[in-house]
């Protein structure tokens, strides 16, 4: 319960002179509710169980005292009143601290109420008068103290009766669309900007709009065409431009980049394993397709939360009615539920790993769709918002029967399945690992003969087992399900174990191994394990979920497949509130439900259909959190600042909306427009606010910062890391614009690419880029995203890590950015490619063409002269230089300590992907004139005009 400290200080200062009506109001407002909460359970609610003979139901009995027969309340003298002194937890022979439990002790403000009430005369109006006083002051008190919010329950009475300031509850109120006058754009009317800047010039606007909707720069030809059209009819040309960009297939890529920031997309699991998620790329492409198709946002929500349930009423798993095959699109969509970092190994308790998934998905759904970080209510009722722990676990119960799986999902005609030939490099690695294990298997068989000789034991049974093992393996048998390699030695041992042969009668595991043998065996065995996940990339499976009982699994070392009987084997989880969030401390059982602050809603608790019910509730047009959350994100993605400043947190600790009526207008309009995201773009981008210049109006009294906050000017923004890289590839002509498909591997800093990386006690594979430039130079959205390997260029330019939802990207300016952008190998390669492109085009004016490609404009005379002079100077320096051709490494040495022996060992990791590597254009491939022009291009690529959208 929160109340102004000033109020209590005033009470205490005026306590001795409270008017009778003030004392009565204090009793009704504070003291009597406190007595009911803290005292009457033992002193009045049950007349037969009154403790200590002290009855607090009436003024007379309360003042009289209990068995001690000492008056407990002395009006005007709180310091002499046992009731007050006991409440302060002072201990004497005359009274015990009250309430008895330390956890129930009164707060300082509660003690202040009692003290002030007694000091003011201890007025105790009867029930009728109490009701009258409460009714007369209800509005005033609510404004001062806040209001009580009805929810599903609370872990403590104090939380259940806590009050909230109405302004902190804005997000839970129904969306009310404000009226806007005809003839004026509603956005501009609701912003009500004073001293607005003029409209941006057409070149600035097309660059802004093109980057916002595609993440790529406009071509010089597109700019020229728009400028001509704009000069004739600005409004029509803008509408045509926005429509053209929304129809571009690259629109979906741009919006997917925003969405995947929120959902934490990555191609690996994170943590110690960091296994690759071979088929996660299909979820990424599902998002691209959804935005390109302008899929209604409510449908987009439902598919990601419950796509596997959404067919013929939701049950059973979706199929295509004409082909009776799984509905791949809907199965792929639920990859959203598995985007968080997660693993299960033999080193972790399965129940804890399972609970980590449930906690992760509960919070992810809350942040993504409801702008609520629900994890704050995992261990206790939310400290600031009306979200009880009961609600947290009720939402979690919707996922209590959700199980992880890679489901069969035939590739769709709209999916890009090219590039699968790169699988050959993984097969080469697999064969190398198999060869290593086969060599070690033969070594163990040889060592076994030495062991028998040293032990002077009969080896007849062993030789018989070895012969049987060879026959068994040649017939395709495996002693352990899922093993990629089955050795004769281990198979023979397993056969003798089954025959109950004493262990001292046959060789021990890994007999006769040297330290390097232990290490090489682990590297090969774990390498085969990881390859199962990587090879999944080329198979028709969806990174998905299913409804069923929770299987008994102790570790996961390969992709998960659907059980034969998902409803028959495993545990039916009974969701309950977990004490302290501990999965081994369940308390009160809960059923599937939603946030009760928006009204009590319970969902079916059958094994199937829970997520569909939750998705329908979230995607309801009457859910004010959902509609406000997405339009707030859209506004952020266009203006660089959200209306409600924390898009993942609409709670009381998040920033309040700067323009609440505008937010509601956008939310209501989204529903009216059939949840069309593209329609919202059209509305936003045709407003004067979006079209405005980033330069202050001449004579404006506003600072630039204030003008940006009030939308008097358009707020400039730096290109995102991905936009910067993609823009360079676009203007050099190197960008491969193909949509979708398996992840590509661009070149990154070689030291980072080759750095040793441990995953579960062995080495992860080095980062080896794609062999061909066309494969490497795809859009950054498609780059393989390994949680344990970050591209330094992307990271330094504020690409968010994928472990946590990113509500808005940070924009920092730090020294390493200079080194990356001016000294980085990839930037020099882009500068060289740009120079080479322009010279090959043989334009009439080389410098002008470079400016057009880079900035979308012609250079000034001063800029042109400076660039030409620098070009000439650099050509003199470049003339006569020779370059040695470099080749990528085919192996890299790894040094490690073997965990079984503690001794050091080394091995050579082979890099077969580099065998066919075709490098980008190199300085030695071009003449001095081209290299010199590349220096000019490098300067332009490092400029603010290239790196910022104005």
């Amino acid at each position: 319960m929160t109340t102004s400290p000033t109020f209590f200080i005033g009470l205490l200062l005026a306590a001795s002179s409270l008017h009778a009506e003030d004392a009565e109001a204090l009793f009704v407002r504070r003291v009597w509710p406190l007595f009911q909460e803290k005292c009457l359970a033992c002193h009045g609610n049950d007349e037969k169980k009154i403790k200590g003979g002290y009855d607090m139901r009436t003024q007379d009995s309360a003042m009289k005292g209990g068995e001690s027969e000492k008056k407990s309340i002395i009006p005007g003298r709180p310091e002499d009143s046992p009731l007050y002194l006991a409440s302060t937890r002072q201990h004497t022979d005359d009274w015990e601290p009250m309430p008895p439990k330390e956890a129930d002790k009164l707060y300082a403000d509660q003690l202040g109420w009692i003290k002030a009430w007694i000091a003011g005369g201890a007025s105790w109006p009867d029930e009728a008068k109490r009701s009258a006083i409460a009714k007369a002051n209800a509005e005033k008190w609510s404004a001062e103290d806040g209001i009580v919010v009805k929810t599903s329950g609370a872990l403590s009475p104090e939380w259940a009766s806590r009050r909230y300031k109405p302004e902190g509850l804005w997000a839970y109120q129904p969306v009310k669309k404000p009226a806007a006058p005809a003839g004026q754009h509603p956005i501009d009317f609701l912003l009500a900007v004073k001293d607005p800047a003029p409209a941006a010039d057409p070149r600035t606007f097309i660059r802004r709009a093109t980057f916002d909707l595609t993440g790529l720069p406009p071509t010089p030809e597109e700019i020229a065409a728009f400028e001509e059209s704009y000069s004739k009819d600005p409004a029509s040309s803008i509408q045509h431009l926005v429509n053209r960009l929304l129809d571009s297939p690259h629109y979906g890529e741009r919006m997917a980049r925003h969405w995947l920031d929120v959902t934490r997309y990555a191609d690996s699991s994170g943590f110690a394993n960091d296994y690759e998620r071979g088929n996660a790329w299909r979820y990424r492409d599902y998002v691209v397709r959804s935005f390109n198709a302008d899929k209604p946002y409510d449908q987009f929500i439902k598919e990601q939360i419950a796509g596997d349930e959404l067919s013929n009423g939701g049950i059973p798993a979706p199929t295509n009615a004409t082909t009776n095959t799984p509905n791949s699109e809907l199965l792929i969509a639920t990859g959203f539920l598995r985007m968080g970092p997660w693993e299960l190994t033999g080193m972790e308790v399965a129940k804890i790993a399972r609970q980590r998934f449930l906690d992760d998905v509960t919070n992810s759904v809350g942040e993504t769709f409801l702008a609520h970080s629900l994890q704050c209510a995992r261990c206790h009722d939310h400290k600031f918002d009306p979200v009880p722990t009961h609600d947290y676990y009720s939402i979690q119960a919707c996922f209590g029967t959700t199980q992880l799986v890679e489901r069969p999902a035939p590739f769709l005609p709209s999916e890009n399945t090219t590039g699968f030939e790169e699988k050959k490099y993984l097969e080469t690695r697999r064969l190398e690992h198999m060869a290593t294990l086969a060599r070690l298997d033969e070594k163990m068989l040889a060592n076994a003969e030495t062991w028998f000789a040293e032990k002077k034991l009969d080896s007849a049974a062993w030789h018989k087992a070895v012969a049987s093992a060879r026959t068994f393996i040649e017939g395709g048998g495996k002693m352990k399900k899922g093993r990629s390699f089955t050795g004769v030695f281990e198979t023979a041992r397993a056969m003798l174990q089954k025959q109950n042969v004493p262990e001292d009668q046959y060789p021990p595991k890994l007999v006769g191994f040297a330290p390097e043998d232990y290490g090489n065996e682990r590297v090969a065995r774990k390498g085969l394990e990881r390859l199962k996940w990587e090879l999944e990339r080329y198979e028709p499976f969806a990174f998905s979920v299913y409804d069923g009982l929770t299987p008994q699994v102790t570790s996961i070392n390969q992709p998960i497949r659907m059980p034969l009987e998902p409803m028959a084997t495993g545990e039916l989880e009974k969701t309950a509130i977990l004490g302290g969030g501990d999965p081994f401390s369940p308390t009160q059982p809960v059923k599937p439900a939603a946030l009760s602050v928006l009204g009590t809603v319970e969902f079916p608790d059958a094994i199937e259909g829970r997520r569909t019910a939750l998705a329908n509730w979230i995607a309801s047009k009457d859910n004010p959190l959902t509609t406000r959350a997405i339009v707030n994100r859209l506004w952020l993605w266009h203006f660089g600042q959200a209306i409600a400043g924390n898009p993942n947190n609409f709670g009381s600790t998040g920033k309040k909306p700067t323009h609440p009526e505008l937010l509601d207008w956008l939310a209501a309009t989204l529903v009216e427009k059939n949840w069309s995201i593209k329609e919202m773009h059209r509305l936003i981008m045709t407003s004067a606010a979006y079209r405005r210049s980033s330069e202050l109006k001449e004579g404006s009294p506003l600072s630039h910062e204030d003008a940006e906050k009030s939308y008097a000017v358009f707020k400039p923004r730096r290109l995102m890391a991905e936009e910067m890289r993609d823009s360079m590839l676009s203007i050099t002509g190197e960008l491969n614009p193909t949509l979708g498909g398996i992840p590509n591997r661009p070149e990154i800093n070689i030291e980072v690419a080759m750095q040793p990386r441990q995953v579960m006690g062995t080495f992860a594979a080095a980062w080896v880029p794609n062999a061909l430039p066309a494969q490497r130079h795809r859009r950054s959205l498609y780059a393989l995203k390994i949680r344990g390997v970050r591209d330094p260029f992307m990271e330094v330019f504020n690409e968010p890590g994928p472990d946590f939802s990113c509500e808005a990207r940070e924009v920092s300016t730090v020294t390493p950015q200079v080194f990356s952008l001016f000294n980085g190998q990839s930037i020099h390669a882009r500068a060289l490619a740009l120079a080479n492109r322009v010279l090959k085009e043989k334009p009439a004016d080389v410098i002008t063409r470079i400016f057009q490609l880079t900035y979308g404009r012609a250079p000034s005379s001063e800029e042109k002269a400076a660039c030409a002079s620098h070009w000439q100077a650099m050509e003199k320096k470049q003339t006569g230089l020779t370059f040695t051709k470099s080749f990528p490494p085919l192996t890299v040495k790894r040094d490690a300590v073997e965990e079984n022996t503690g001794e050091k060992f080394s091995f050579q990791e082979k890099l077969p992907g580099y065998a066919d590597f075709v490098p980008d254009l190199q300085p030695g491939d071009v003449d001095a004139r081209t290299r010199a022009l590349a220096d000019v291009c490098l300067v332009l690529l490092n400029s603010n005009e290239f790196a910022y959208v104005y």
Side-chain angles (χ1 to χ4, degrees), residues 155 351-360 374-381 389-390 392-393 396 575-588:
L155 298 182
K351 195 174 185 68
I352 293 176
R354 169 68 177 169
Q355 188 58 44
R356 273 198 294 106
F357 163 72
L358 292 173
D359 288 332
D360 179 89
L374 298 177
Q375 65 182 352
C376 298
R378 181 171 67 93
C379 301
H380 51 72
D381 295 324
T389 299
H390 185 280
Y392 175 84
Y393 287 101
Q396 189 167 109
T575 306
I577 294 174
L578 303 180
D582 183 356
F584 296 101
S585 301
T587 59
Q588 176 188 349

Side-chain angles (χ1 to χ4, degrees), residues 164-239:
Y164 301 88
K165 294 292 184 181
E167 59 268 25
L169 303 174
W170 65 270
Y172 310 111
Q173 307 308 311
V175 172
K176 295 180 180 179
K177 186 178 182 180
Q184 186 174 359
H185 199 297
I187 289 176
D188 297 317
F189 169 74
L190 293 168
L191 283 175
V193 174
K194 296 179 180 179
D195 293 308
D201 63 78
R203 184 185 68 84
T204 299
F205 183 82
I206 187 176
R207 179 175 163 85
R208 179 189 300 170
T210 306
F211 269 114
D212 274 6
L213 291 184
T214 69
L216 295 169
T219 66
E221 294 74 22
E222 289 170 339
I223 294 173
F226 179 71
E227 286 179 322
E228 182 180 356
S229 172
Y230 188 91
S231 67
K232 298 174 183 177
D233 188 340
S236 176
S237 62
I238 287 175
Q239 289 179 351

Side-chain angles (χ1 to χ4, degrees), residues 872-881 928 931:
Q872 285 183 327
M874 288 300 102
E875 186 173 0
K876 291 179 181 178
K877 288 190 174 184
Q878 290 288 340
T879 300
L881 294 181
R931 294 195 298 271

Side-chain angles (χ1 to χ4, degrees), residues 197-212 218 638-640 685 688-696 704 708 713-720 723 854-857 940 942-950:
D201 63 78
R203 184 185 68 84
T204 299
F205 183 82
I206 187 176
R207 179 175 163 85
R208 179 189 300 170
T210 306
F211 269 114
D212 274 6
H638 277 299
F639 288 95
M685 297 177 73
Y690 183 79
R691 296 164 55 185
R692 205 158 277 148
S693 169
S694 59
E695 296 295 326
L696 274 172
H704 213 286
E708 289 175 354
V713 298
F714 185 86
K715 183 180 180 180
R717 69 172 180 87
R718 193 180 67 202
L719 296 178
M720 292 163 57
E723 289 177 293
T854 309
Y855 295 159
R857 66 171 176 85
L940 269 60
N942 274 265
S943 65
N944 278 356
E945 189 170 351
F946 174 77
Y948 277 78
V949 172
Y950 293 95

Side-chain angles (χ1 to χ4, degrees), residues 116-161:
W117 170 66
I118 296 175
S123 299
W124 192 307
D126 60 26
E127 185 175 351
K129 193 169 185 179
R130 291 200 299 268
S131 297
I133 292 172
K135 184 176 181 181
N137 291 278
E139 188 173 337
K140 176 174 176 271
W141 291 350
S142 290
E144 293 175 351
D145 295 347
I147 58 175
V148 176
V149 177
K150 184 179 179 181
T151 61
S152 61
L155 298 182
S156 67
E158 293 91 346
W159 193 92
S161 59

